[in-house]
Amino acid sequence: MNEFDDTKRKAHRTKKSGAKFNKNQERRHGYDGESKEEARIRNPKAFGVKSSVKMMRYQQRTLDRVHKKVHSVAVDHTDEERPAPYVIAVQGPSQVGKTTLIKCLIKHYTRQTISNPKGPVTVIAGKKRRLTFIEVPNNLNAMIDSAKVADLVLLVIDAKFGFEMETFEYLNILQQHGFPKVIGVLTHLDLFQSRKALSNTKKELKRRFWGEIYKGAKLFYLSGMIHGKYLKNEINNLSRFISIQKFRPLIWRNTHPYVLVDRIEDITDPELIRQNKKNDRKIVVYGYVRGTPLKKTSIIHIPGCGDYNMKSVSTLEDPCPFPADRRQKQKLNQKERLLYAPMSDVGALFYDNDGVYFEDTGNKRSRPSDKIIDELKNMEETLDENIKNTQVSLLSGSSKNVILNNKTRRAAPDQKEKFDNEMESESSSDGSGEINIFSTNLKSNKDVDSSSSSMEEESEENGDRYKDDIDGSLRWKETMLQRAIDRFNKPVDLMKLVYGKKGDEELGVKLDNYEEMSEESSESSSSEEFFKLKTAKGRQDIINEVETSRFYLDEDDMIDFSSVEELGERLKKRFVDSDYFFDEKYELDAFNDSALYGDYEDLEASSNSQEEEEGSQEDNMNEEDYEENPEEQEKIKDSRYDILDNDYFTAQKEAVKKQKEINQATFKGMSLKQRAEIEGHISGQYVRIVIESLPCELIENHDPTLPFILGGINPQESELGLIQVRIKKHRWHRKILKSNDPLIISLGWRRFQTQPIYSVRDDNDRNRYLKYTPQHMHCMATFYGPITPSNTGFAAFQTILGEQQSFRVSATGVVLGLNKTFDIVKKLKLIGYPYKIKQKTAFVKGMFNTRLEVAKFIGAQIRTVSGIRGQVKKAERGIDGSFRATFEDKILMSDIVFLRTWYPVSPEEYYNPVTDKLLDKDWEGMKTVFQLRKKNNLKIPLNVDSEYTDIVRKEKIFRPLKVPAKLQDQLPFKSIPKQNRKRKRPHLEQRRAVVLERDERKRLQTLTALGAIKNERLNARKAKKKEAREKYLLRKSKEEAQKQERAKANRKRLYRLEGMLKEDLELNQGRPSKRRKME
């Protein structure tokens, strides 16, 4: 069948009726339509267990599957209502389609097109989900930082080229920093010419992808592009799968706060920068809090820069909020599809705690809101200065205005004429604006004329209403009594009375304009309608806003002195006795100001308060029953111990859930500011962080394409100490690691260089020093670095430069423990030579230098090369460092005596943080000895004693064995040594001649002839083999020469193509693509 034949085949049609259909129905639904339960009752043996072993295996398999799904309970610190945006990192080698994928996803979510995405890009993905996309550049530092904050990783793979080295490096980094969710995306599938090759490539890539992550990992295919974008249907499928992902909190992020910075500003004084360009900078960073709550006193670490303290942390309005109406609906409307990407120059409005910044793109605008923006741009003074220099018009028809200079002053009627004259002179010289308190319109200096004309028209329309108030010159006397009462009830400033004249800045406009407030109280705003007073009318709103040292009077507080008895009772209450706080005869509570000044009542929460009161009554009743009924106490105690019998993980989940509810109830009544002071800024809040004393290079060399992270550090993690880890050299790293060679380690938020020493734990719990790491086995490593909790994973690199073509992840491991010192010992052999031997006692020299050293090793076990064991006894006086030793047998003068000892080794206190964000080039750090020799073209120094040479030993000639004569007399004749003297002439047997018989001579001649023939054949066969061998070697040498010539030609052709490609890229001002395929 032709594989390109797309003709549709006839689909299979199942039976709807007939004998076969009825047979299948009986098989599915039972005999004569009976149910499964009825069939079990009718024929129980059919549903019984046939094999107990098979049933046991089935149950065990079921339990194993359930147990695999169980994981340790982790506390999720994210806000359920407003969680922080999930971070999605898009990673892949260069020129595989990362930027295009981000553009298509942003277009899908927001219906907006972004030309050049830089930095974090936040979008609204649903009613309860926000996503932040970051592109991971082909930089090892950026790959490490993004792996620490990413919740989901999209691995973009070029299907035509295959897996590249950067993909596997990033996967190994992810595994050591928590391993978030990973989704693979295959691109460039449209470059395949045949379907068979495409299908085989998909299968092979999926098999390799599953082998690296897990079997069943999701892999998406982007088949092609139309107009520079991926197909809409494929992007829709990918976005759907992203939207249903459930993210489990990782251990490190769940115990530390962190902020992925999406905007950074330099607020250093320009004058300081002008005086010294290298002056330390003061910056402001913005971003969403993630992880645990961020406290003001926390120490933060900027990867690539260092540790710093925060000067201030404040919560800002969310720039990318959730939809206001989050009810059940199918999809978001266009207004709710928000996009926030400040580093990508998308969105011209930025909020801050001290202002709002607008970026003008220079395009033409015709909307009313655009005209307001143009007016704001053309203002010569700030809004604060305009409000400070504005004027107040008491009545819409008044001719003079009152200057509003931080406080609103009201002119008295008897001084109105004088006050108007003064205001005319001031207003003629000062061209300030005016405020109409009835129309509440703010006018700038440029709009004074237009505002005055509009007010004149308004005064003509409303002239009848206020005609009597303006024309009546003596009408003010009628309200003299009311004004006297108001003046008497006016608040008294005790601080002013005690300490003299003092400004009223604390109360501002509210206290000085109390009469206006009382008149406008009837026209209350919508925000004041939520509350009402329970007791007598007072000025509680002012009391709650300012200090209570000021005393306020009300008409109901006036004392009636007509009754003497009532006056006496009131005077009695002014004196305090011991029962004041507990006697019910006193109406006032000394600890409750609400009895004196009143309290607020929440109208909306009236129903809720009743329910809470009923609930509190029920709780009190339950507590009383618990105290009175001992049976209830036993039941509650038993229920506590029942948790142990139930599922452990379920109990842990319930405990975590209960603690979360308690925390929510505790912080329920607090404002965000109070909660931030106690708990910190919780996850999901958009914060503004001010940091001082930062190096100027951080701003000068800032790259928006690299992730900028603020990682919170716990108090105990800011110190340095020795860390012991379990480490294993990566199987793809070419060379083994050497002790005391510098190694770059990514641990926690930090990236630093240190010098580890490797060791292995023996059976006797001794940490034995290793010069090199084992080839395929774990070992211990100890290095000097920041204190980090146990079970924290890390990745190690010998270099982070992009020039290395091989696999850059050198080793991986996990933290085991922390301590000030670790006992690591190194094997040391001390060698000595005997200079005097007396039976089993020998005197040894050359092993020690002084008698004191010998005294430390008295009783130590020693041995010779031949295996004779001994012991150090005592130091001798003759030669320095000599000692007397005893052995289990007599040793020789040629024996070498050695002592095995263990020498303590401590790691170097070397800690060098990686500061790549302060440089405009790659960070290098300390180099290894091999790198220095290679750079400077130095040879390895040769040690003659370390060379392997042939050892020539003299043959030892032993003296003949001498047996004493007395012993020989006792030995049997067979054991007596026979000493034959050397004869001058041969004996008779040697001199006897051998004469062969005739038959023997013939046989000997025949054997000699046969031997000659055999030797001749063997010689001919050897010559033939030698000739064939020479021909074979000649042919192989010719083939090898031809092979080298072809390889040389291929190398020349490749070098020529690489040079042409490099010239083309330089002309096009592009970066050459670095493809490093795994060997």
Side-chain angles (χ1 to χ4, degrees):
M1 176 178 155
N2 189 5
E3 60 180 353
F4 296 101
D5 189 7
D6 295 336
T7 57
K8 294 184 179 180
R9 305 299 178 184
K10 184 177 180 181
H12 174 69
R13 301 174 66 180
T14 58
K15 294 284 186 179
K16 301 296 183 181
S17 62
K20 191 173 182 180
F21 175 78
N22 296 333
K23 184 178 179 181
N24 292 335
Q25 288 294 104
E26 290 179 2
R27 185 181 62 186
R28 294 172 184 170
H29 301 291
Y31 184 79
D32 293 337
E34 65 180 359
S35 62
K36 191 174 182 180
E37 289 76 11
E38 295 174 352
R40 185 188 297 273
I41 296 172
R42 178 178 57 81
N43 187 10
K45 290 185 178 180
F47 296 90
V49 179
K50 295 181 180 180
S51 174
S52 59
V53 177
K54 186 177 180 181
M55 179 55 65
M56 183 183 67
R57 292 176 180 173
Y58 177 76
Q59 291 180 354
Q60 185 65 36
R61 181 174 177 274
T62 304
L63 292 175
D64 291 343
R65 291 178 62 187
V66 173
H67 188 72
K68 285 182 180 179
K69 297 180 181 179
V70 175
H71 50 74
S72 59
V73 180
V75 181
D76 193 358
H77 294 282
T78 58
D79 191 1
E80 295 180 356
E81 295 184 358
R82 285 176 172 80
Y86 295 111
V87 180
I88 300 179
V90 182
Q91 193 275 337
S94 57
Q95 298 181 1
V96 295
K98 301 189 296 294
T99 306
T100 307
L101 180 60
I102 293 177
K103 291 180 182 179
C104 294
L105 288 172
I106 293 173
K107 179 69 174 179
H108 171 78
Y109 284 117
T110 63
R111 305 294 188 269
Q112 299 182 32
T113 302
I114 180 171
S115 60
N116 187 16
K118 291 182 180 179
V121 180
T122 305
V123 299
I124 300 292
K127 294 176 292 184
K128 296 183 179 179
R129 176 161 294 198
R130 294 178 292 187
L131 304 176
T132 298
F133 294 96
I134 57 172
E135 181 180 351
V136 182
N138 194 13
N139 183 355
L140 193 56
N141 292 315
M143 292 163 65
I144 295 171
D145 293 342
S146 63
K148 298 175 182 179
V149 298
D151 297 310
L152 175 65
V153 177
L154 299 180
L155 282 180
V156 186
I157 304 162
D158 186 355
K160 187 64 177 177
F161 189 85
F163 284 101
E164 302 185 41
M165 198 68 76
E166 289 84 355
T167 303
F168 292 106
E169 289 173 350
Y170 194 66
L171 280 175
N172 282 272
I173 295 170
L174 289 174
Q175 289 174 356
Q176 300 306 316
H177 293 95
F179 210 176
K181 297 290 184 68
V182 178
I183 297 177
V185 179
L186 294 182
T187 60
H188 297 174
L189 295 176
D190 52 342
L191 300 180
F192 287 90
Q193 299 298 329
S194 63
R195 290 188 179 182
K196 189 174 182 180
L198 177 61
S199 178
N200 294 337
T201 303
K202 285 182 179 180
K203 290 180 181 179
E204 181 63 24
L205 293 177
K206 179 182 286 188
R207 184 192 62 80
R208 190 71 177 87
F209 188 70
W210 285 6
E212 285 296 324
I213 302 177
Y214 64 89
K215 191 174 182 179
K218 197 64 179 176
L219 190 63
F220 283 88
Y221 307 112
L222 300 181
S223 58
M225 300 178 67
I226 297 178
H227 303 299
K229 297 180 181 179
Y230 295 113
L231 300 182
K232 189 174 182 181
N233 188 25
E234 295 173 347
I235 294 297
N236 189 19
N237 294 335
L238 178 60
S239 63
R240 284 181 180 178
F241 197 80
I242 293 173
S243 62
I244 63 174
Q245 287 291 315
K246 293 183 179 179
F247 303 102
R248 173 174 167 76
L250 304 180
I251 296 176
W252 178 263
R253 305 181 202 176
N254 207 32
T255 56
H256 296 78
Y258 62 98
V259 177
L260 177 61
V261 177
D262 53 21
R263 186 157 65 99
I264 181 172
E265 293 181 4
D266 185 8
I267 59 172
T268 312
D269 189 1
E271 182 63 22
L272 298 177
I273 299 176
R274 189 188 64 81
Q275 295 175 1
N276 183 12
K277 292 184 179 180
K278 298 297 182 181
N279 194 10
D280 290 342
R281 301 301 176 88
K282 178 180 180 181
I283 68 169
V284 179
V285 295
Y286 304 83
Y288 290 95
V289 178
R290 295 175 173 88
T292 59
L294 178 64
K295 297 182 179 180
K296 294 182 179 179
T297 58
S298 299
I299 300 176
I300 60 171
H301 177 78
I302 303 176
C305 187
D307 297 349
Y308 298 94
N309 292 319
M310 298 180 292
K311 183 180 180 182
S312 64
V313 184
S314 57
T315 304
L316 300 181
E317 185 180 355
D318 198 333
C320 192
F322 283 105
D325 187 9
R326 301 171 70 179
R327 296 174 298 178
Q328 295 293 334
K329 55 182 179 180
Q330 293 293 332
K331 59 182 181 178
L332 303 175
N333 55 35
Q334 185 59 34
K335 293 182 179 180
E336 294 171 345
R337 297 178 180 272
L338 300 180
L339 170 65
Y340 182 65
M343 289 189 183
S344 303
D345 298 333
V346 176
L349 196 62
F350 302 108
Y351 295 91
D352 202 347
N353 64 341
D354 55 357
V356 180
Y357 301 94
F358 177 79
E359 181 181 357
D360 188 8
T361 58
N363 299 328
K364 296 183 179 180
R365 296 184 294 266
S366 59
R367 295 178 297 178
S369 58
D370 298 334
K371 296 181 179 179
I372 296 175
I373 293 173
D374 293 335
E375 292 179 0
L376 291 174
K377 285 177 57 180
N378 297 328
M379 289 179 61
E380 298 178 357
E381 298 178 352
T382 62
L383 291 176
D384 295 338
E385 294 177 352
N386 287 334
I387 294 175
K388 182 177 179 180
N389 298 326
T390 50
Q391 299 176 356
V392 175
S393 172
L394 296 181
L395 301 175
S396 61
S398 60
S399 59
K400 303 298 180 182
N401 298 323
V402 180
I403 296 177
L404 182 65
N405 187 10
N406 291 336
K407 293 182 287 186
T408 305
R409 298 289 185 180
R410 300 189 66 185
D414 53 352
Q415 299 179 355
K416 182 175 184 302
E417 183 176 357
K418 180 180 178 181
F419 189 81
D420 291 347
N421 295 331
E422 294 176 357
M423 293 304 300
E424 283 180 3
S425 61
E426 291 180 3
S427 61
S428 60
S429 61
D430 185 13
S432 58
E434 62 180 14
I435 293 180
N436 186 347
I437 61 174
F438 294 100
S439 60
T440 64
N441 292 325
L442 287 174
K443 304 294 182 179
S444 61
N445 296 341
K446 297 181 179 181
D447 299 336
V448 172
D449 298 336
S450 60
S451 61
S452 60
S453 61
S454 62
M455 291 185 66
E456 289 177 0
E457 296 176 359
E458 185 180 357
S459 63
E460 292 177 1
E461 296 175 359
N462 302 330
D464 298 336
R465 181 176 179 181
Y466 303 104
K467 185 176 181 180
D468 296 337
D469 295 335
I470 299 174
D471 296 339
S473 60
L474 299 178
R475 189 70 61 89
W476 61 273
K477 293 183 180 180
E478 298 178 358
T479 59
M480 184 181 294
L481 180 61
Q482 183 65 29
R483 283 188 285 104
I485 295 173
D486 294 341
R487 183 172 298 178
F488 181 79
N489 292 335
K490 189 175 182 180
V492 180
D493 190 355
L494 298 180
M495 300 295 290
K496 184 176 181 180
L497 292 176
V498 174
Y499 296 101
K501 188 174 182 180
K502 180 179 174 65
D504 297 336
E505 289 80 8
E506 291 85 356
L507 293 180
V509 182
K510 288 189 177 180
L511 288 178
D512 295 327
N513 294 325
Y514 173 71
E515 297 183 33
E516 290 183 12
M517 294 169 60
S518 61
E519 292 176 1
E520 296 177 0
S521 62
S522 60
E523 299 176 1
S524 60
S525 62
S526 60
S527 61
E528 296 173 352
E529 292 176 359
F530 289 99
F531 302 98
K532 71 176 184 179
L533 291 176
K534 290 183 179 179
T535 58
K537 294 182 179 180
R539 294 158 186 84
Q540 291 84 355
D541 51 350
I542 302 177
I543 293 174
N544 291 333
E545 293 178 0
V546 298
E547 59 182 9
T548 57
S549 60
R550 301 190 176 194
F551 186 71
Y552 304 95
L553 291 177
D554 200 359
E555 295 180 0
D556 296 337
D557 297 331
M558 302 297 293
I559 302 176
D560 187 10
F561 296 101
S562 59
S563 176
V564 181
E565 296 178 356
E566 184 178 355
L567 179 60
E569 293 294 333
R570 289 181 177 273
L571 291 176
K572 286 180 181 180
K573 294 179 181 181
R574 298 298 178 185
F575 297 92
V576 180
D577 57 2
S578 60
D579 298 332
Y580 172 70
F581 300 107
F582 311 100
D583 198 347
E584 296 179 356
K585 65 182 179 180
Y586 299 102
E587 299 176 358
L588 303 178
D589 187 1
F591 297 107
N592 190 5
D593 293 338
S594 62
L596 183 63
Y597 300 107
D599 195 5
Y600 286 115
E601 178 183 0
D602 194 348
L603 295 178
E604 290 184 343
S606 60
S607 59
N608 297 332
S609 61
Q610 294 177 4
E611 295 176 359
E612 292 177 358
E613 291 176 359
E614 293 176 358
S616 61
Q617 292 176 3
E618 292 178 0
D619 295 339
N620 295 334
M621 292 174 64
N622 294 334
E623 293 177 358
E624 293 174 359
D625 295 340
Y626 175 78
E627 295 175 356
E628 295 176 0
N629 192 357
E631 296 179 357
E632 293 292 333
Q633 298 179 11
E634 294 296 332
K635 288 182 180 179
I636 294 175
K637 290 180 180 179
D638 294 339
S639 63
R640 294 173 183 173
Y641 293 104
D642 288 342
I643 297 176
L644 300 177
D645 299 334
N646 296 333
D647 189 5
Y648 172 77
F649 296 99
T650 305
Q652 291 292 322
K653 290 180 181 179
E654 293 295 333
V656 170
K657 184 179 179 181
K658 186 175 180 180
Q659 184 63 39
K660 194 172 184 179
E661 292 176 355
I662 293 173
N663 296 341
Q664 290 178 355
T666 304
F667 295 110
K668 185 176 182 181
M670 296 185 182
S671 61
L672 291 177
K673 186 176 182 180
Q674 294 174 341
R675 186 172 179 179
E677 292 290 337
I678 299 173
E679 184 187 16
H681 298 270
I682 61 176
S683 176
Q685 291 184 353
Y686 192 77
V687 295
R688 175 184 187 268
I689 303 175
V690 180
I691 309 173
E692 292 184 334
S693 302
L694 281 168
C696 61
E697 291 82 4
L698 181 65
I699 301 299
E700 295 175 355
N701 302 321
H702 174 62
D703 187 1
T705 59
L706 302 178
F708 196 95
I709 303 171
L710 302 183
I713 298 175
N714 295 333
Q716 68 274 10
E717 297 174 5
S718 58
E719 300 179 357
L720 299 177
L722 293 181
I723 306 174
Q724 192 173 55
V725 300
R726 182 174 65 247
I727 191 172
K728 182 181 180 182
K729 185 193 78 69
H730 202 281
R731 64 184 186 276
W732 291 347
H733 191 66
R734 289 184 175 180
K735 297 183 179 180
I736 58 177
L737 306 178
K738 185 179 178 181
S739 292
N740 283 325
D741 271 358
L743 202 65
I744 300 172
I745 293 177
S746 172
L747 180 63
W749 301 121
R750 292 183 171 93
R751 290 180 275 115
F752 57 93
Q753 190 180 47
T754 185
Q755 291 180 272
I757 60 174
Y758 306 108
S759 61
V760 64
R761 188 179 294 276
D762 293 336
D763 296 335
N764 55 0
D765 288 341
R766 179 194 293 120
N767 285 335
R768 179 164 53 87
Y769 172 85
L770 296 177
K771 188 175 182 180
Y772 300 100
T773 56
Q775 188 68 27
H776 303 289
M777 190 177 69
H778 286 87
C779 68
M780 314 278 284
T782 307
F783 56 84
Y784 185 75
I787 301 299
T788 309
S790 301
N791 298 326
T792 303
F794 70 92
F797 313 87
Q798 275 195 342
T799 178
I800 56 177
L801 301 178
E803 301 173 354
Q804 183 175 347
Q805 300 297 321
S806 61
F807 196 73
R808 289 178 289 183
V809 179
S810 302
T812 57
V814 65
V815 177
L816 295 181
L818 313 167
N819 204 342
K820 292 184 178 179
T821 57
F822 286 99
D823 296 332
I824 303 173
V825 292
K826 181 180 180 181
K827 184 171 64 174
L828 178 64
K829 284 186 179 180
L830 302 178
I831 300 175
Y833 304 94
Y835 66 93
K836 188 187 297 185
I837 299 173
K838 292 183 178 181
Q839 295 299 326
K840 296 183 180 181
T841 302
F843 298 89
V844 184
K845 65 177 180 180
M847 186 175 291
F848 304 106
N849 296 323
T850 61
R851 298 184 64 188
L852 181 61
E853 292 181 1
V854 177
K856 292 180 180 179
F857 287 92
I858 291 177
Q861 299 294 327
I862 57 177
R863 58 177 297 182
T864 63
V865 178
S866 58
I868 301 174
R869 294 172 295 185
Q871 188 178 17
V872 178
K873 287 297 184 181
K874 188 179 179 181
E876 290 296 318
R877 296 183 179 180
I879 304 174
D880 291 339
S882 62
F883 61 93
R884 178 171 57 88
T886 59
F887 294 89
E888 60 185 3
D889 198 0
K890 187 178 180 180
I891 65 173
L892 301 177
M893 291 293 292
S894 61
D895 283 333
I896 299 175
V897 182
F898 63 90
L899 171 65
R900 293 182 61 183
T901 60
W902 297 97
Y903 177 74
V905 181
S906 59
E908 297 289 339
E909 293 187 357
Y910 173 68
Y911 170 75
N912 184 17
V914 178
T915 56
D916 59 293
K917 292 189 181 299
L918 306 181
L919 303 174
D920 56 352
K921 58 181 181 179
D922 293 335
W923 186 89
E924 294 186 10
M926 181 191 292
K927 296 182 177 64
T928 62
V929 177
F930 168 74
Q931 292 172 348
L932 291 174
R933 287 174 181 164
K934 185 178 180 181
K935 181 179 180 181
N936 299 323
N937 197 16
L938 299 176
K939 294 183 179 180
I940 300 175
L942 181 62
N943 187 3
V944 180
D945 296 335
S946 300
E947 289 184 352
Y948 291 94
T949 58
D950 295 335
I951 300 175
V952 180
R953 301 183 186 274
K954 294 181 180 180
E955 185 178 357
K956 192 172 183 63
I957 301 174
F958 295 96
R959 290 179 294 178
L961 180 63
K962 292 182 179 181
V963 181
K966 293 182 179 180
L967 183 60
Q968 288 185 11
D969 295 341
Q970 299 176 4
L971 292 175
F973 179 78
K974 185 178 181 180
S975 300
I976 294 175
K978 311 302 192 289
Q979 296 181 359
N980 298 325
R981 295 180 180 179
K982 188 176 182 180
R983 301 175 65 90
K984 294 182 180 179
R985 61 178 183 174
H987 52 79
L988 182 60
E989 293 181 357
Q990 294 176 351
R991 291 185 286 113
R992 183 181 299 163
V994 179
V995 180
L996 299 177
E997 295 290 339
R998 184 178 179 181
D999 296 337
E1000 292 177 352
R1001 192 182 301 113
K1002 287 182 179 181
R1003 285 195 294 267
L1004 182 61
Q1005 291 176 356
T1006 303
L1007 292 174
T1008 304
L1010 291 175
I1013 294 170
K1014 182 181 177 181
N1015 294 333
E1016 186 68 22
R1017 289 179 179 177
L1018 290 175
N1019 293 333
R1021 191 179 298 172
K1022 288 182 180 178
K1024 190 175 181 180
K1025 284 186 177 180
K1026 185 177 180 180
E1027 185 180 358
R1029 180 68 179 174
E1030 290 176 355
K1031 290 181 180 180
Y1032 173 75
L1033 293 177
L1034 182 61
R1035 188 179 74 253
K1036 291 294 294 183
S1037 61
K1038 290 181 180 180
E1039 292 178 357
E1040 187 67 23
Q1042 292 175 0
K1043 186 178 179 180
Q1044 290 181 358
E1045 289 180 0
R1046 288 195 300 269
K1048 185 176 181 180
N1050 290 335
R1051 284 197 300 269
K1052 287 183 178 180
R1053 183 174 58 85
L1054 290 176
Y1055 292 155
R1056 185 169 62 255
L1057 292 175
E1058 287 182 359
M1060 294 170 62
L1061 178 62
K1062 187 175 181 181
E1063 291 178 359
D1064 293 341
L1065 292 174
E1066 289 178 355
L1067 292 175
N1068 297 329
Q1069 296 181 357
R1071 296 180 61 185
S1073 62
K1074 185 185 67 175
R1075 301 283 180 87
R1076 296 187 285 112
K1077 191 172 183 180
M1078 184 181 62
E1079 298 180 359

